[in-house]
Amino acid sequence: MKQVCLIIGVVFLLCSFKSDGLIERVYPELLGDYDFYKSVADRSTSYAKDGKDVFTVKITKKDQILFFRNKKKERKMHFVETKMPFLDDENHVLFGSKGNYEPMFYRGDTIVIQSYPIEFQDNYFIKKK
């Protein structure tokens, strides 16, 4: 009986490490590192080259999105499978934490995040080659 319980426990443990996350399975093209390019609000545009800080984003196989400022991690959030049906642009995936989620839009090698590094603006990041 102990052997059966041990085998079942090992099987559950192995299943928990199975790597079939949302990003890897549905959006594999999004995996990688991105550099901040520009931020747009109304009629004004701020370019990354004009600032002193370097902002980057990393999307991992573990469904995580990591935010860095000058190579130092500032925060970590997770992607979820839910979509926002009222958005006109279907090219989005939700990320966040603790029930607070926001869309990340994507097209080609560019992602747009509205909360980092400048809140309430369209912040464009371009994938590193």
Side-chain angles (χ1 to χ4, degrees), residues 72-98:
K72 189 174 185 177
K73 184 166 59 170
E74 289 195 308
R75 60 181 164 158
K76 171 177 74 171
M77 297 183 166
H78 294 28
F79 289 99
V80 294
E81 261 186 88
T82 309
K83 289 265 194 186
M84 292 181 140
F86 54 86
L87 288 177
D88 292 335
D89 189 345
E90 290 187 14
N91 292 328
H92 73 277
V93 60
L94 295 181
F95 73 93
S97 64
K98 299 178 184 172

Side-chain angles (χ1 to χ4, degrees), residues 45-102:
T45 302
S46 305
Y47 289 92
K49 63 181 178 157
D50 298 335
K52 60 181 179 174
D53 293 320
V54 176
F55 298 99
T56 55
V57 169
K58 180 176 185 132
I59 298 175
T60 71
K61 290 181 179 181
K62 296 180 180 181
D63 290 343
Q64 295 177 337
I65 182 166
L66 309 171
F67 298 91
F68 297 88
R69 179 184 198 164
N70 300 324
K71 297 184 180 181
K72 189 174 185 177
K73 184 166 59 170
E74 289 195 308
R75 60 181 164 158
K76 171 177 74 171
M77 297 183 166
H78 294 28
F79 289 99
V80 294
E81 261 186 88
T82 309
K83 289 265 194 186
M84 292 181 140
F86 54 86
L87 288 177
D88 292 335
D89 189 345
E90 290 187 14
N91 292 328
H92 73 277
V93 60
L94 295 181
F95 73 93
S97 64
K98 299 178 184 172
N100 294 323
Y101 298 103
E102 66 177 275

Side-chain angles (χ1 to χ4, degrees), residues 103-124:
M104 178 189 78
F105 299 94
Y106 59 89
R107 190 163 324 283
D109 65 349
T110 304
I111 61 172
V112 180
I113 299 170
Q114 296 175 331
S115 65
Y116 188 84
I118 303 169
E119 287 192 344
F120 309 113
Q121 294 190 17
D122 291 340
N123 300 290
Y124 290 79

